[in-house]
Amino acid sequence: MSDSTLAGQFFDAAIGLLERVRDEESGNIAAAGTAIADTVAAGGRLFAFGAGHSSLAAQDVVYRAGGLALMNLLAVPGTLGVDVMPATLGSALERVGGLAGAVLDSSPASAGDLLVIISLSGRNTLPVEMAQGARDRGITVIGVTSVAYAESDTTRSLHGSGGFLRDHCDIVLDSKIAIGDAELTADGVEAPFAPASTVVTSAVMQAMMATAAERLVERGIEPPLLRSGNVDGGHEWNRRVMTEYADRIFYQHGR
């Protein structure tokens, strides 16, 4: 965009990041989509997890028109964003040791399944332990994170091992988001602003889903996709898909 306003600058920054991820992470996105297709074809279940604002990109692929019906949210109460009071409690819970193991033990996720873990910094205890625990249980782990945090001398892991999320994943996708998650600065504004992590991470998630659908079609398998309930026939289509895959969907009927 040639617009010099801050809004235009933000669009330019977001588009630049999207183009960079498309070009530099294409191989990892292909690997992640293939792993998802492998799991679907083998009868496994799919899960997504994110804490704080990272949970937005995880929720975006669950029970979503045009999305895979098999993607389930692995929820940790109190960490889904600003749904708790005070909102700062969610940030505190990301630093609590042992919470990830308790969540995995009480979840339906098991060996042969796949879990996408989203954490911008990848430094907090919860996502690191979630990745460790999942892999210990035989679950394939895809991490979506900004590798800049792990490679910087100015940030450190908050996990006891000193490791970041990227150190405990089968496949890592780098969102390329700069440390601090703010794309703009301006005279008269003391703090950097306009974060783009949600835009970029959500796009990465949808690119993975698109690749998975492509791989399933290549194998002669109809991707179990949902349709919008706001178009004629959508509810009937979704009812059929959910019935066919009822043993792998956990967001309906209290499953």
Side-chain angles (χ1 to χ4, degrees), residues 17 165 229-230:
L17 283 164
L165 171 61
N230 294 314

Side-chain angles (χ1 to χ4, degrees), residues 32-158:
T34 299
I36 292 171
D38 289 343
T39 303
V40 173
R45 288 84 59 84
L46 306 174
F47 299 87
F49 164 77
H53 285 89
S54 290
S55 73
L56 298 176
Q59 295 178 55
D60 191 47
V61 294
V62 177
Y63 187 51
R64 178 64 189 265
L68 288 173
L70 275 60
M71 184 61 72
N72 302 278
L73 185 67
L74 187 62
V76 179
T79 70
L80 293 180
V82 291
D83 62 329
V84 293
M85 294 294 287
T88 51
L89 175 60
S91 298
L93 289 174
E94 291 186 61
R95 295 172 169 81
V96 175
L99 183 57
V103 170
L104 286 167
D105 286 342
S106 61
S107 80
S110 59
D113 293 342
L114 181 144
L115 171 62
V116 182
I117 300 177
I118 305 165
S119 174
L120 177 61
S121 71
R123 71 195 292 248
N124 286 312
T125 298
L126 181 56
V128 174
E129 288 191 352
M130 189 71 75
Q132 288 178 321
R135 292 182 83 191
D136 288 345
R137 290 163 172 79
I139 299 167
T140 298
V141 175
I142 297 172
V144 183
T145 186
S146 171
V147 173
Y149 284 85
E151 294 182 342
S152 174
D153 294 330
T154 63
T155 53
R156 63 180 179 82
S157 170
L158 299 179

Side-chain angles (χ1 to χ4, degrees), residues 142-249:
I142 297 172
V144 183
T145 186
S146 171
V147 173
Y149 284 85
E151 294 182 342
S152 174
D153 294 330
T154 63
T155 53
R156 63 180 179 82
S157 170
L158 299 179
H159 186 257
S161 69
F164 286 75
L165 171 61
R166 71 158 189 182
D167 301 316
H168 302 285
C169 300
D170 297 288
I171 302 169
V172 177
L173 285 77
D174 184 2
S175 65
K176 315 295 182 182
I177 300 295
I179 294 172
D181 191 18
E183 295 302 317
L184 302 183
T185 58
D187 292 339
V189 182
E190 293 299 321
F193 58 101
S197 60
T198 302
V199 173
V200 175
T201 304
S202 292
V204 168
M205 296 294 288
Q206 295 299 341
M208 279 194 291
M209 299 303 115
T211 301
E214 182 178 24
R215 296 291 180 266
L216 288 169
V217 169
E218 291 171 352
R219 303 177 192 190
I221 300 173
E222 180 184 349
L225 298 169
L226 296 174
R227 292 190 176 189
S228 172
N230 294 314
V231 298
D232 291 345
H235 289 298
E236 292 75 15
W237 173 280
N238 293 342
R239 191 176 302 115
R240 176 185 65 80
V241 172
M242 289 182 179
T243 299
E244 182 176 351
Y245 291 95
D247 60 332
R248 293 194 258 174
I249 295 174

Side-chain angles (χ1 to χ4, degrees), residues 15-28:
I15 291 169
L17 283 164
L18 289 168
E19 290 178 338
R20 186 180 172 198
V21 171
R22 178 197 62 194
D23 296 340
E24 298 178 14
E25 293 298 305
S26 60
N28 292 327

